[in-house]
Amino acid sequence: MAHFSFPPGRRAQAAGPQWSFLDLISAVFIAAVVVFLVLIYTSLGNPLAASSRRTLVPPATADPLLRERILALLDSPDPSSTVAVVDACPAKEVDNMPCEDPRRNSQFSREMNYYRERHCPLPGEMPLCLVPPPNGYRISVPWPESLHKIWHDNMPYNKIADRKGHQGWMKEEGPYFIFPGGGTMFPDGAEHYISKLGQFIPINKGIVRTALDMGCGVASFGGFLLKENIMALSFAPRDSHKSQIQFALERGIPAFVAMLGTRRLPFPAYSFDFVHCSRCLIPFTAYNGTYLIEVDRLLRPEGYLVISGPPVKWSKQEKEWADLQALTHALCYKLIVVDGNTAIWKKPSGGSCPPNLDNFRLDQCSDSADPNEAWYIKLRKCVTKLPISEEISIGTIPKWPERLFKPPARVSLMKNGIDAFEADTQSWIRRVAYYKKSLGVKLGTKHVRNVMDMNALFGGFAAALNSDPVWVMNVIPAQKQLTLNIIYDRGLIGVYHDWCEAFSTYPRTYDLIHVSGINSLVKDVTSGKDRCSLVDLMVEMDRMLRPEGTAVVRDSPGVIDKVARIALAIQWTVKVHKGEPGSSADENILVATKTFWTLAATSE
């Protein structure tokens, strides 16, 4: 719903009309309606509310012209332009994921699970409404208690508990879902399973830091790896295991929605020290070994690959197991151990063993093919060449936590890269201290666990939070310089993304979203023209933020004024501050809180 102020008509030259009793009654009724709408849809109603929780009514119909009118008002450079309000989405959109919508994706091909990959609506088709929380939603259980239990009503889906409860995935207990820490391949618990892996992988020595958990279930494996100072990014598709990634994020475990189908996963080459599949059911040798080749692209030299479950010594999958052994051998992987249905390999270092791919009709990728490009890039039937330098190999790269602040080898490939890296690191240490001490941002408290940096560059913001009980999803915009490999070399995690599309996460999954230079995310790098709307971007931020979550935005004063106007339209409370001492005078900081509102009881 949008509210417009039209210019008054010309004053009548004659005397005003006489008011009847019915006219007075009508005027009082209209005034009461106007006051009600003002109290509900503007910040004026906050002081009169019984709490911070408010009720919104979704629009009765979807008017495509209304979207354009609201965008025009909120995108206007005129700060005195008419206020518009973005409505709530209908209750059925409580778990809305625009780019992973089963209603849309079911229309696409099943070949290589293409239909389970990202398929986004066009910008003009994006719903311009605020995703509501489910009935009974509560502020999330804080970390670390959330590793073991979450509120049932925050995602009231019992399918996994009913089907996988006997394997220790999760179970319903009173108002909670309880997570015993088990999994299909480790019913005795993730901690026991990790301890067994530690007999063959240096898990607790600072040598292994970044991990990728494929087809992760509710991510108990990644959650318990955190105790070993291993940062595992877990992923799974939005599939029949309803909301598994949503459960993981509600628990405070790093995760996002993805499918290994026809495209590269959104990571640079040599990102992960350790790749893990526990009954992930990825057909690694299918399509001429395409999926194992993608894993090889992502795995750091001398990194570890663990496959637990099919096809490892699995009944009726003898051929698949033989093919997997043959392909890993051709890639020069060393098979360390086969223990039951679990196999562990170690990847070679650069130049130590040239792969022998003739039997698999595969070639090495050409020198012109950039292995770090991974945003909507099709899987390639060629093997990424190992770097000649061993500076990025396991055992050569500094141990954790020293690697966090030492300039990585790959930053030296950029012009003035080391100087820029060190300046960025020091700058974010100062900025984060200012956020905490002067702006009241709740970093370092139980209120903040899941954090996103939407424009991360070298990951300096995340590095400055290292002592806080948080994890940070570092996002590198796909149209900018691809520095995500430097972030992984530091021992941090993140993904590529284009912010003109929705992010691959469920609603209400981040406690704090940070962005420096928000306007650059919607601009074309070459022309400087808008590629998409800042309004749509902030509605997407609202979708990802938990109720009472925080957004911190840095940009020029003019941009921050516009951001503040949009923030009010999406029901956020807003404070604007000057930058920290020593920062640019042309930069302001907006700190906003997403209000906790609910849908009216009559919503459908």
Side-chain angles (χ1 to χ4, degrees), residues 286-339:
Y287 309 104
N288 215 28
T290 297
Y291 294 137
L292 186 63
I293 290 169
E294 172 63 358
V295 170
D296 177 73
R297 181 183 73 88
L298 299 177
L299 188 59
R300 191 178 295 277
E302 298 192 47
Y304 297 88
L305 170 63
V306 178
I307 298 179
S308 182
V312 179
K313 300 186 73 172
W314 205 264
S315 175
K316 299 182 181 180
Q317 293 201 28
E318 290 81 6
K319 182 181 183 304
E320 290 83 355
W321 171 225
D323 289 346
L324 180 58
Q325 293 179 87
L327 185 52
T328 52
H329 179 74
L331 291 170
C332 299
Y333 280 43
K334 178 183 177 182
L335 181 59
I336 297 175
V337 68
V338 178
D339 183 3

Short mmCIF file of all heavy atoms in Angstrom, two decimals, residues 286-339:
data_model
loop_
_atom_site.label_atom_id
_atom_site.label_comp_id
_atom_site.label_asym_id
_atom_site.label_seq_id
_atom_site.Cartn_x
_atom_site.Cartn_y
_atom_site.Cartn_z
N ALA A 286 29.48 -39.63 -12.42
CA ALA A 286 28.53 -39.48 -13.52
C ALA A 286 28.96 -38.32 -14.43
O ALA A 286 29.77 -37.47 -14.04
CB ALA A 286 27.13 -39.26 -12.97
N TYR A 287 28.38 -38.30 -15.62
CA TYR A 287 28.68 -37.22 -16.58
C TYR A 287 30.19 -37.05 -16.77
O TYR A 287 30.73 -35.96 -16.76
CB TYR A 287 28.03 -35.92 -16.14
CG TYR A 287 26.56 -36.06 -15.82
CD1 TYR A 287 26.12 -36.09 -14.49
CD2 TYR A 287 25.61 -36.23 -16.83
CE1 TYR A 287 24.77 -36.25 -14.19
CE2 TYR A 287 24.26 -36.40 -16.53
CZ TYR A 287 23.86 -36.41 -15.22
OH TYR A 287 22.52 -36.58 -14.93
N ASN A 288 30.84 -38.20 -16.91
CA ASN A 288 32.28 -38.22 -17.17
C ASN A 288 33.09 -37.60 -16.03
O ASN A 288 34.12 -36.96 -16.26
CB ASN A 288 32.60 -37.51 -18.48
CG ASN A 288 33.76 -38.15 -19.22
OD1 ASN A 288 33.98 -39.35 -19.08
ND2 ASN A 288 34.49 -37.38 -19.99
N GLY A 289 32.63 -37.81 -14.81
CA GLY A 289 33.39 -37.34 -13.65
C GLY A 289 33.25 -35.85 -13.37
O GLY A 289 34.04 -35.29 -12.61
N THR A 290 32.22 -35.21 -13.94
CA THR A 290 32.08 -33.76 -13.84
C THR A 290 32.02 -33.28 -12.39
O THR A 290 32.62 -32.26 -12.04
CB THR A 290 30.81 -33.30 -14.60
OG1 THR A 290 30.97 -33.61 -15.99
CG2 THR A 290 30.59 -31.81 -14.45
N TYR A 291 31.29 -34.00 -11.53
CA TYR A 291 31.11 -33.52 -10.16
C TYR A 291 32.39 -33.67 -9.33
O TYR A 291 32.71 -32.80 -8.51
CB TYR A 291 29.94 -34.25 -9.49
CG TYR A 291 28.60 -33.92 -10.13
CD1 TYR A 291 27.68 -34.92 -10.39
CD2 TYR A 291 28.28 -32.62 -10.48
CE1 TYR A 291 26.45 -34.62 -10.98
CE2 TYR A 291 27.06 -32.30 -11.06
CZ TYR A 291 26.15 -33.31 -11.31
OH TYR A 291 24.95 -33.01 -11.90
N LEU A 292 33.12 -34.75 -9.53
CA LEU A 292 34.38 -34.89 -8.81
C LEU A 292 35.39 -33.84 -9.28
O LEU A 292 36.18 -33.33 -8.49
CB LEU A 292 34.96 -36.29 -8.99
CG LEU A 292 36.20 -36.58 -8.14
CD1 LEU A 292 35.88 -36.50 -6.65
CD2 LEU A 292 36.80 -37.94 -8.48
N ILE A 293 35.34 -33.49 -10.56
CA ILE A 293 36.23 -32.46 -11.09
C ILE A 293 35.92 -31.10 -10.45
O ILE A 293 36.81 -30.31 -10.17
CB ILE A 293 36.11 -32.39 -12.63
CG1 ILE A 293 36.74 -33.65 -13.24
CG2 ILE A 293 36.78 -31.15 -13.19
CD1 ILE A 293 36.45 -33.80 -14.71
N GLU A 294 34.64 -30.84 -10.18
CA GLU A 294 34.29 -29.59 -9.50
C GLU A 294 34.79 -29.60 -8.07
O GLU A 294 35.30 -28.58 -7.57
CB GLU A 294 32.77 -29.39 -9.54
CG GLU A 294 32.24 -28.22 -8.71
CD GLU A 294 32.72 -26.84 -9.16
OE1 GLU A 294 33.51 -26.74 -10.12
OE2 GLU A 294 32.31 -25.85 -8.51
N VAL A 295 34.68 -30.71 -7.39
CA VAL A 295 35.24 -30.82 -6.04
C VAL A 295 36.75 -30.59 -6.08
O VAL A 295 37.31 -29.88 -5.23
CB VAL A 295 34.91 -32.19 -5.42
CG1 VAL A 295 35.70 -32.41 -4.12
CG2 VAL A 295 33.42 -32.31 -5.16
N ASP A 296 37.40 -31.15 -7.08
CA ASP A 296 38.85 -30.97 -7.23
C ASP A 296 39.20 -29.50 -7.43
O ASP A 296 40.21 -29.01 -6.89
CB ASP A 296 39.34 -31.81 -8.41
CG ASP A 296 40.82 -31.62 -8.68
OD1 ASP A 296 41.63 -32.13 -7.88
OD2 ASP A 296 41.17 -30.94 -9.66
N ARG A 297 38.38 -28.76 -8.17
CA ARG A 297 38.63 -27.33 -8.36
C ARG A 297 38.61 -26.58 -7.03
O ARG A 297 39.40 -25.65 -6.79
CB ARG A 297 37.58 -26.72 -9.30
CG ARG A 297 37.76 -25.23 -9.59
CD ARG A 297 36.65 -24.68 -10.46
NE ARG A 297 35.39 -24.55 -9.74
CZ ARG A 297 35.02 -23.48 -9.03
NH1 ARG A 297 35.83 -22.44 -8.92
NH2 ARG A 297 33.85 -23.46 -8.42
N LEU A 298 37.73 -26.99 -6.14
CA LEU A 298 37.52 -26.27 -4.89
C LEU A 298 38.52 -26.67 -3.80
O LEU A 298 38.74 -25.89 -2.85
CB LEU A 298 36.11 -26.51 -4.37
CG LEU A 298 34.97 -26.06 -5.28
CD1 LEU A 298 33.63 -26.44 -4.68
CD2 LEU A 298 35.03 -24.55 -5.52
N LEU A 299 39.09 -27.85 -3.90
CA LEU A 299 39.93 -28.38 -2.83
C LEU A 299 41.37 -27.84 -2.95
O LEU A 299 41.97 -27.88 -4.02
CB LEU A 299 39.94 -29.90 -2.88
CG LEU A 299 40.61 -30.65 -1.73
CD1 LEU A 299 39.97 -30.30 -0.39
CD2 LEU A 299 40.55 -32.16 -1.98
N ARG A 300 41.87 -27.34 -1.84
CA ARG A 300 43.22 -26.80 -1.79
C ARG A 300 44.25 -27.91 -2.01
O ARG A 300 44.04 -29.05 -1.56
CB ARG A 300 43.44 -26.14 -0.42
CG ARG A 300 44.71 -25.28 -0.31
CD ARG A 300 44.78 -24.65 1.08
NE ARG A 300 43.71 -23.70 1.31
CZ ARG A 300 43.73 -22.43 0.89
NH1 ARG A 300 44.78 -21.97 0.25
NH2 ARG A 300 42.72 -21.62 1.14
N PRO A 301 45.38 -27.64 -2.69
CA PRO A 301 46.43 -28.66 -2.80
C PRO A 301 46.82 -29.21 -1.43
O PRO A 301 46.95 -28.46 -0.46
CB PRO A 301 47.58 -27.89 -3.45
CG PRO A 301 46.92 -26.82 -4.25
CD PRO A 301 45.71 -26.41 -3.44
N GLU A 302 46.95 -30.53 -1.38
CA GLU A 302 47.21 -31.28 -0.15
C GLU A 302 46.03 -31.26 0.82
O GLU A 302 46.16 -31.60 1.99
CB GLU A 302 48.50 -30.81 0.54
CG GLU A 302 49.74 -31.02 -0.31
CD GLU A 302 51.03 -30.83 0.47
OE1 GLU A 302 51.14 -31.39 1.58
OE2 GLU A 302 51.91 -30.13 -0.03
N GLY A 303 44.85 -30.88 0.31
CA GLY A 303 43.64 -30.92 1.12
C GLY A 303 43.06 -32.31 1.18
O GLY A 303 43.51 -33.24 0.49
N TYR A 304 42.02 -32.48 1.99
CA TYR A 304 41.45 -33.79 2.28
C TYR A 304 40.03 -33.90 1.73
O TYR A 304 39.21 -32.97 1.87
CB TYR A 304 41.44 -34.06 3.78
CG TYR A 304 42.83 -34.11 4.37
CD1 TYR A 304 43.46 -32.94 4.82
CD2 TYR A 304 43.53 -35.30 4.46
CE1 TYR A 304 44.75 -32.97 5.34
CE2 TYR A 304 44.81 -35.35 4.99
CZ TYR A 304 45.41 -34.18 5.43
OH TYR A 304 46.69 -34.22 5.94
N LEU A 305 39.73 -35.04 1.13
CA LEU A 305 38.38 -35.36 0.64
C LEU A 305 37.86 -36.56 1.42
O LEU A 305 38.52 -37.60 1.47
CB LEU A 305 38.41 -35.66 -0.85
CG LEU A 305 37.13 -36.24 -1.46
CD1 LEU A 305 35.97 -35.25 -1.35
CD2 LEU A 305 37.35 -36.63 -2.93
N VAL A 306 36.68 -36.40 2.02
CA VAL A 306 36.05 -37.49 2.78
C VAL A 306 34.69 -37.79 2.16
O VAL A 306 33.85 -36.89 2.03
CB VAL A 306 35.87 -37.10 4.27
CG1 VAL A 306 35.16 -38.23 5.02
CG2 VAL A 306 37.21 -36.79 4.91
N ILE A 307 34.48 -39.03 1.78
CA ILE A 307 33.17 -39.48 1.31
C ILE A 307 32.73 -40.62 2.21
O ILE A 307 33.41 -41.64 2.32
CB ILE A 307 33.21 -39.93 -0.16
CG1 ILE A 307 33.62 -38.75 -1.05
CG2 ILE A 307 31.85 -40.47 -0.59
CD1 ILE A 307 33.72 -39.11 -2.53
N SER A 308 31.59 -40.42 2.87
CA SER A 308 31.06 -41.40 3.81
C SER A 308 29.67 -41.82 3.34
O SER A 308 28.77 -40.99 3.23
CB SER A 308 30.98 -40.78 5.22
OG SER A 308 30.52 -41.71 6.16
N GLY A 309 29.52 -43.09 3.02
CA GLY A 309 28.26 -43.55 2.46
C GLY A 309 28.42 -43.94 1.01
O GLY A 309 29.53 -44.10 0.50
N PRO A 310 27.31 -44.11 0.29
CA PRO A 310 27.39 -44.54 -1.10
C PRO A 310 28.31 -43.61 -1.92
O PRO A 310 28.29 -42.40 -1.70
CB PRO A 310 25.94 -44.44 -1.60
CG PRO A 310 25.11 -44.45 -0.36
CD PRO A 310 25.94 -43.83 0.71
N PRO A 311 29.14 -44.19 -2.80
CA PRO A 311 29.21 -45.60 -3.18
C PRO A 311 30.31 -46.38 -2.45
O PRO A 311 30.65 -47.47 -2.88
CB PRO A 311 29.55 -45.50 -4.67
CG PRO A 311 30.49 -44.34 -4.73
CD PRO A 311 29.96 -43.35 -3.71
N VAL A 312 30.86 -45.82 -1.37
CA VAL A 312 32.04 -46.44 -0.74
C VAL A 312 31.66 -47.81 -0.15
O VAL A 312 30.92 -47.89 0.84
CB VAL A 312 32.61 -45.52 0.36
CG1 VAL A 312 33.82 -46.19 1.03
CG2 VAL A 312 33.01 -44.17 -0.22
N LYS A 313 32.15 -48.85 -0.80
CA LYS A 313 31.91 -50.24 -0.36
C LYS A 313 30.43 -50.47 -0.08
O LYS A 313 30.06 -51.11 0.91
CB LYS A 313 32.77 -50.57 0.86
CG LYS A 313 34.28 -50.45 0.60
CD LYS A 313 35.12 -50.92 1.77
CE LYS A 313 35.09 -52.43 1.88
NZ LYS A 313 36.04 -52.93 2.91
N TRP A 314 29.59 -49.96 -0.97
CA TRP A 314 28.14 -50.01 -0.77
C TRP A 314 27.54 -51.12 -1.63
O TRP A 314 27.90 -51.28 -2.80
CB TRP A 314 27.53 -48.66 -1.15
CG TRP A 314 26.23 -48.39 -0.46
CD1 TRP A 314 24.97 -48.61 -0.95
CD2 TRP A 314 26.06 -47.82 0.83
NE1 TRP A 314 24.03 -48.23 -0.03
CE2 TRP A 314 24.67 -47.74 1.09
CE3 TRP A 314 26.93 -47.39 1.83
CZ2 TRP A 314 24.14 -47.23 2.25
CZ3 TRP A 314 26.41 -46.89 3.01
CH2 TRP A 314 25.03 -46.81 3.22
N SER A 315 26.64 -51.88 -1.06
CA SER A 315 26.01 -52.98 -1.77
C SER A 315 25.32 -52.48 -3.04
O SER A 315 24.63 -51.45 -3.03
CB SER A 315 24.98 -53.66 -0.85
OG SER A 315 24.28 -54.66 -1.55
N LYS A 316 25.52 -53.19 -4.13
CA LYS A 316 24.93 -52.91 -5.44
C LYS A 316 25.46 -51.64 -6.08
O LYS A 316 24.90 -51.16 -7.07
CB LYS A 316 23.39 -52.85 -5.34
CG LYS A 316 22.76 -54.16 -4.87
CD LYS A 316 21.25 -54.06 -4.84
CE LYS A 316 20.63 -55.38 -4.33
NZ LYS A 316 19.15 -55.32 -4.29
N GLN A 317 26.55 -51.07 -5.51
CA GLN A 317 27.19 -49.92 -6.14
C GLN A 317 28.68 -50.19 -6.33
O GLN A 317 29.51 -49.29 -6.27
CB GLN A 317 26.97 -48.65 -5.31
CG GLN A 317 25.52 -48.21 -5.29
CD GLN A 317 25.36 -46.73 -4.92
OE1 GLN A 317 26.24 -45.92 -5.18
NE2 GLN A 317 24.23 -46.40 -4.32
N GLU A 318 28.99 -51.46 -6.60
CA GLU A 318 30.39 -51.85 -6.78
C GLU A 318 31.03 -51.13 -7.97
O GLU A 318 32.20 -50.72 -7.91
CB GLU A 318 30.49 -53.37 -6.96
CG GLU A 318 30.19 -54.18 -5.70
CD GLU A 318 28.70 -54.36 -5.45
OE1 GLU A 318 27.89 -53.95 -6.32
OE2 GLU A 318 28.33 -54.93 -4.40
N LYS A 319 30.29 -50.97 -9.07
CA LYS A 319 30.85 -50.30 -10.24
C LYS A 319 31.13 -48.83 -9.93
O LYS A 319 32.19 -48.30 -10.29
CB LYS A 319 29.90 -50.39 -11.43
CG LYS A 319 30.47 -49.74 -12.70
CD LYS A 319 29.51 -49.81 -13.86
CE LYS A 319 30.13 -49.22 -15.13
NZ LYS A 319 30.59 -47.84 -14.95
N GLU A 320 30.19 -48.16 -9.28
CA GLU A 320 30.39 -46.75 -8.94
C GLU A 320 31.58 -46.57 -8.02
O GLU A 320 32.36 -45.61 -8.17
CB GLU A 320 29.12 -46.18 -8.29
CG GLU A 320 27.94 -46.02 -9.23
CD GLU A 320 27.14 -47.30 -9.42
OE1 GLU A 320 27.57 -48.36 -8.88
OE2 GLU A 320 26.11 -47.27 -10.11
N TRP A 321 31.76 -47.48 -7.08
CA TRP A 321 32.89 -47.41 -6.16
C TRP A 321 34.20 -47.65 -6.92
O TRP A 321 35.20 -46.94 -6.71
CB TRP A 321 32.71 -48.43 -5.05
CG TRP A 321 33.85 -48.66 -4.10
CD1 TRP A 321 34.31 -49.87 -3.67
CD2 TRP A 321 34.66 -47.69 -3.44
NE1 TRP A 321 35.35 -49.71 -2.80
CE2 TRP A 321 35.60 -48.36 -2.63
CE3 TRP A 321 34.70 -46.29 -3.45
CZ2 TRP A 321 36.55 -47.73 -1.85
CZ3 TRP A 321 35.66 -45.63 -2.68
CH2 TRP A 321 36.57 -46.35 -1.90
N ALA A 322 34.21 -48.59 -7.83
CA ALA A 322 35.42 -48.84 -8.64
C ALA A 322 35.74 -47.63 -9.52
O ALA A 322 36.91 -47.23 -9.65
CB ALA A 322 35.22 -50.08 -9.50
N ASP A 323 34.71 -47.03 -10.12
CA ASP A 323 34.93 -45.84 -10.96
C ASP A 323 35.47 -44.68 -10.13
O ASP A 323 36.35 -43.93 -10.59
CB ASP A 323 33.62 -45.42 -11.63
CG ASP A 323 33.18 -46.38 -12.71
OD1 ASP A 323 34.00 -47.21 -13.13
OD2 ASP A 323 32.00 -46.30 -13.12
N LEU A 324 34.95 -44.50 -8.90
CA LEU A 324 35.43 -43.42 -8.04
C LEU A 324 36.90 -43.62 -7.68
O LEU A 324 37.70 -42.67 -7.71
CB LEU A 324 34.57 -43.35 -6.77
CG LEU A 324 34.93 -42.27 -5.75
CD1 LEU A 324 34.87 -40.88 -6.37
CD2 LEU A 324 34.01 -42.34 -4.53
N GLN A 325 37.27 -44.84 -7.36
CA GLN A 325 38.68 -45.11 -7.06
C GLN A 325 39.58 -44.86 -8.27
O GLN A 325 40.68 -44.30 -8.15
CB GLN A 325 38.84 -46.56 -6.59
CG GLN A 325 38.18 -46.85 -5.24
CD GLN A 325 38.35 -48.30 -4.84
OE1 GLN A 325 39.36 -48.67 -4.23
NE2 GLN A 325 37.38 -49.12 -5.19
N ALA A 326 39.10 -45.25 -9.45
CA ALA A 326 39.90 -45.06 -10.66
C ALA A 326 40.08 -43.58 -10.98
O ALA A 326 41.18 -43.14 -11.35
CB ALA A 326 39.23 -45.78 -11.84
N LEU A 327 39.02 -42.79 -10.82
CA LEU A 327 39.11 -41.37 -11.15
C LEU A 327 39.97 -40.61 -10.15
O LEU A 327 40.78 -39.75 -10.52
CB LEU A 327 37.71 -40.75 -11.23
CG LEU A 327 37.63 -39.29 -11.68
CD1 LEU A 327 38.40 -39.06 -12.98
CD2 LEU A 327 36.18 -38.85 -11.82
N THR A 328 39.82 -40.90 -8.87
CA THR A 328 40.68 -40.24 -7.88
C THR A 328 42.14 -40.63 -8.10
O THR A 328 43.05 -39.79 -7.94
CB THR A 328 40.26 -40.60 -6.44
OG1 THR A 328 40.16 -42.03 -6.31
CG2 THR A 328 38.91 -39.97 -6.09
N HIS A 329 42.39 -41.86 -8.49
CA HIS A 329 43.77 -42.29 -8.78
C HIS A 329 44.32 -41.54 -9.99
O HIS A 329 45.49 -41.11 -10.00
CB HIS A 329 43.81 -43.80 -9.03
CG HIS A 329 45.18 -44.32 -9.36
ND1 HIS A 329 46.17 -44.46 -8.41
CD2 HIS A 329 45.73 -44.71 -10.54
CE1 HIS A 329 47.27 -44.92 -8.98
NE2 HIS A 329 47.03 -45.07 -10.29
N ALA A 330 43.48 -41.35 -11.00
CA ALA A 330 43.92 -40.62 -12.20
C ALA A 330 44.24 -39.16 -11.87
O ALA A 330 45.09 -38.55 -12.51
CB ALA A 330 42.83 -40.69 -13.27
N LEU A 331 43.56 -38.61 -10.86
CA LEU A 331 43.84 -37.24 -10.42
C LEU A 331 45.01 -37.18 -9.44
O LEU A 331 45.30 -36.12 -8.89
CB LEU A 331 42.58 -36.65 -9.76
CG LEU A 331 41.40 -36.37 -10.70
CD1 LEU A 331 40.16 -36.02 -9.88
CD2 LEU A 331 41.73 -35.24 -11.67
N CYS A 332 45.64 -38.32 -9.18
CA CYS A 332 46.79 -38.42 -8.28
C CYS A 332 46.43 -38.25 -6.82
O CYS A 332 47.30 -37.92 -6.00
CB CYS A 332 47.89 -37.42 -8.67
SG CYS A 332 48.54 -37.67 -10.33
N TYR A 333 45.15 -38.45 -6.47
CA TYR A 333 44.78 -38.41 -5.06
C TYR A 333 45.31 -39.67 -4.37
O TYR A 333 45.25 -40.77 -4.92
CB TYR A 333 43.26 -38.36 -4.90
CG TYR A 333 42.65 -37.00 -5.12
CD1 TYR A 333 43.04 -36.17 -6.16
CD2 TYR A 333 41.65 -36.54 -4.26
CE1 TYR A 333 42.46 -34.93 -6.34
CE2 TYR A 333 41.06 -35.30 -4.45
CZ TYR A 333 41.46 -34.50 -5.49
OH TYR A 333 40.89 -33.26 -5.68
N LYS A 334 45.79 -39.50 -3.15
CA LYS A 334 46.27 -40.62 -2.36
C LYS A 334 45.15 -41.12 -1.45
O LYS A 334 44.59 -40.36 -0.66
CB LYS A 334 47.47 -40.21 -1.50
CG LYS A 334 48.00 -41.32 -0.62
CD LYS A 334 49.15 -40.84 0.26
CE LYS A 334 49.63 -41.95 1.19
NZ LYS A 334 50.73 -41.47 2.09
N LEU A 335 44.78 -42.40 -1.59
CA LEU A 335 43.77 -42.98 -0.72
C LEU A 335 44.41 -43.30 0.63
O LEU A 335 45.25 -44.20 0.74
CB LEU A 335 43.20 -44.25 -1.36
CG LEU A 335 42.10 -44.97 -0.58
CD1 LEU A 335 40.90 -44.06 -0.34
CD2 LEU A 335 41.67 -46.24 -1.31
N ILE A 336 44.03 -42.56 1.65
CA ILE A 336 44.63 -42.72 2.97
C ILE A 336 44.04 -43.92 3.70
O ILE A 336 44.77 -44.73 4.29
CB ILE A 336 44.43 -41.43 3.81
CG1 ILE A 336 45.14 -40.25 3.15
CG2 ILE A 336 44.94 -41.62 5.23
CD1 ILE A 336 44.88 -38.93 3.85
N VAL A 337 42.71 -44.04 3.68
CA VAL A 337 42.09 -45.13 4.42
C VAL A 337 40.68 -45.37 3.88
O VAL A 337 40.03 -44.44 3.38
CB VAL A 337 42.02 -44.80 5.94
CG1 VAL A 337 41.05 -43.66 6.22
CG2 VAL A 337 41.65 -46.03 6.76
N VAL A 338 40.24 -46.61 3.97
CA VAL A 338 38.84 -46.97 3.80
C VAL A 338 38.43 -47.66 5.08
O VAL A 338 38.93 -48.74 5.40
CB VAL A 338 38.61 -47.89 2.58
CG1 VAL A 338 37.13 -48.26 2.49
CG2 VAL A 338 39.07 -47.21 1.30
N ASP A 339 37.53 -47.02 5.82
CA ASP A 339 37.09 -47.54 7.11
C ASP A 339 35.59 -47.76 7.04
O ASP A 339 34.81 -46.80 7.13
CB ASP A 339 37.46 -46.55 8.22
CG ASP A 339 37.08 -47.07 9.61
OD1 ASP A 339 36.60 -48.21 9.71
OD2 ASP A 339 37.26 -46.32 10.59
#
